[in-house]
Amino acid sequence: MIIESLIRHSIDTPNKIAFIGADEEISYQNLLVRVRDVAEYLVEYSPKCMALRAENSLDWVIADLAALYAEIPNVPVPLFFTPEQVDHILVESGADLLVGDWDAWVENTAENAHSLDARLVGHAGNLSIWKRSVEDEKPLLTHTGKITFTSGSTGHPKGVCLSQNQLSKVSRALADTIATEVKCEKHLVLLPLSTLLENITGIYVPIIIGATSVVLNGEEVGLSGSSNFNPSQFALALAKYLPNSLVLTPALLMALIEVVKAMPVLAKNLEFVAVGGARVSPQLLDMAHSLGIPAFEGYGLSENASVVSLNTPSAYKAGTSGKPLPHIDVKVSNDGEIYVTGCVALGYIGQPFEQGWYATGDLGHLDEDGFLVINGRKKNQIITAFGRNISPEWVESEAQAFRALYGMVLVGDGEKSLSAILENPNVEQVTAALKQLNQRLPDYARIRTFITAQGLSSMAGFYTSNGRPIRSKFEQWMLSKTDEDDGRIITPINE
C-alpha cells in the first residue's frame, strides 16, 4: 500500500513536493524514479537482509523505500546504539548489505574491536554500500519486510519482524484517523527515522495521504543522540518550516511548551502533535492545550507495528492513551495486563508468535467510553513494605508538570516509603516541587526522600537506548548511598 500510494501520487500530483531535505526538495514523481533506481541497484547484490545506519536525510528515506520496493528485509540501526548492540543486531539479522554510516565498522584495524568483513561496493546518494560476508546465516521469518530492534532493559535488544502488510495496516489506520479530522499538509521529522514510530509517521503516513515531510539531520532540529536536545535550534526549525504535525516524547513536549511560551507564534500552524514513548501527565497536556499546542497522547509497541491507540480532536480524554485504532482489538486480563490483536508482529527473529493475542506487559484498562488507560509496566511495579502496588510511570508522569523534577526516577521497592532520584542540584527547587507533587498523590504514593546526582542522564548502563530508566540499576544505586556520599545528599521531604 505504501509503494502503491507513492506510484499513485507520482501520477496524480507529480510535481507536489514529497520530502524537503536540508539542501533539496523532491517531488513525488522524482522520488519514485530515485526509489526505483536505488531498488534496482540494491537488488544487484542479491541481499538477504539490509542494515540501514545513518543520520536522518532524504537518502535515508529513499534507501528505506527502495528496500520496500524491492522487498528486501530492512533493519534500521539507531546511531545511538552501543557497538555491542550493533554487533548483536548484525549477528541476529544476518544483514549482508550495509547501507550508510558503516565506514568505521569495516576498517580492519587493531583498534577496532567491532570491525566487519565487508567491502565497499558503491553508493546510494551520499550513503555508502558495503557487501558483508555472513558465515552463520539465520533464516528470517517468512514475509519479513522490516526488523526493528527494541531496546529493553537488557543490553541485547530483540529483533521484531514486521511484514509490509502490517506496516501498511498501521500507516493506513493512522492516515485515516488523522486526515479525516485535521489538515496535516507538512510534517517535521524530529525523532530518528530508525525509530519505528517516526519511520511510519514521518515517511509512510505522509506518502499515503500525499503530504510533505521535512527530513533534516538531528542537529538541525535540535536533537542529537537519544536524549540531547537544543530547544533554540528546535525553535529555528519550527519557524522556518511551519509544520502542521510533530511526533514527540513527553520530554520533548515539555521542551516545546517552553519554546511556545517564549514564541507563541510557533504553535500557530500546528494541527496535530502526537505524544508517546512514555505515560503523559494530564496536567502537561492541559498546559500544552492552553498554549495552543494540539497535543494528543497515544500508545503502542513495536510488536504491534508501533501504534495501538491514539487520542484525536474528536475523541479525546486526558489521562488516557486514546481509543484503539480501527484495525486493533484490545482486551484486559484479570490481573490488569493489556492484550492486543489485529496487528501483531510475525515474531522475533527465529521465534514466530503463535498466539493471536499479544501480551504487552503493560498494565491498564479500557474505561466505560472505550479509552485505553495505561498505568505502567507490569515488571516495573513497586511493592512497598506495606504491600501497596505503585506504577512508577504514573508518579513520574505526574512529575512532568514541574520543571524542577525533569527526568525524575522513582524507586522504593520493598521500602517503607518512596524516593526520587534526579539530576537537578537545586535542593530548594526540588523540595518545593516535590511538596506540590505530593499534594496530588495519595499518601501511599508520596515521595519522602530524594537524592540528586550530577550526570545522572549519562550514567552508563542505567538507561535503555531509547532513554528509559533501568529501574533495578537505580534501586541498587540508591541502596548503596549513605546520607552523604561523593557529594550526593539524600534529602527528606517534610510535610
Side-chain angles (χ1 to χ4, degrees), residues 22-62:
D23 303 314
E24 67 168 322
E25 299 178 349
I26 185 168
S27 68
Y28 272 97
Q29 185 178 58
N30 289 338
L31 176 62
L32 179 60
V33 170
R34 287 171 66 173
V35 166
R36 281 175 171 163
D37 288 345
V38 173
E40 291 173 4
Y41 189 49
L42 296 176
V43 167
E44 290 179 10
Y45 299 101
S46 304
K48 294 181 175 61
C49 185
M50 178 182 106
L52 175 58
R53 182 180 186 271
E55 262 283 6
N56 287 1
S57 66
L58 295 190
D59 287 322
W60 200 106
V61 172
I62 292 166

Side-chain angles (χ1 to χ4, degrees), residues 190-371:
L190 182 62
L191 305 178
L193 287 170
S194 55
T195 305
L196 181 62
L197 176 60
E198 191 71 272
N199 193 177
I200 288 171
T201 57
I203 300 179
Y204 303 157
V205 173
I207 285 177
I208 287 175
I209 65 177
T212 300
S213 191
V214 181
V215 182
L216 310 171
N217 67 48
E219 291 188 357
E220 290 175 305
V221 293
L223 187 66
S224 59
S226 62
S227 55
N228 297 319
F229 189 69
N230 181 341
S232 298
Q233 189 60 43
F234 179 40
L236 288 174
L238 288 175
K240 181 176 180 178
Y241 295 102
L242 302 174
N244 305 127
S245 62
L246 300 167
V247 173
L248 306 175
T249 62
L252 294 180
L253 177 60
M254 291 183 217
L256 177 60
I257 286 172
E258 295 304 315
V259 165
V260 171
K261 280 181 180 178
M263 300 179 66
V265 69
L266 293 181
K268 183 179 179 182
N269 287 80
L270 292 174
E271 297 282 345
F272 195 90
V273 177
V275 188
R279 196 174 187 272
V280 189
S281 161
Q283 289 77 23
L284 191 66
L285 292 170
D286 289 344
M287 196 182 306
H289 291 168
S290 70
L291 293 168
I293 301 170
F296 298 94
E297 183 177 1
Y299 162 76
L301 308 95
S302 297
E303 288 84 353
N304 298 114
S306 188
V307 184
V308 167
S309 64
L310 185 65
N311 278 286
T312 65
S314 66
Y316 170 72
K317 186 180 284 190
T320 78
S321 295
K323 291 187 174 182
L325 293 176
H327 68 299
I328 289 288
D329 285 316
V330 171
K331 69 178 182 181
V332 181
S333 65
N334 292 334
D335 65 352
E337 184 172 3
I338 296 165
Y339 284 72
V340 179
T341 192
C343 191
V344 177
L346 302 172
Y348 301 121
I349 294 175
Q351 183 184 339
F353 291 161
E354 303 294 346
Q355 304 297 324
W357 288 88
Y358 177 73
T360 65
D362 290 315
L363 297 172
H365 66 275
L366 286 165
D367 72 7
E368 64 278 5
D369 297 315
F371 286 83

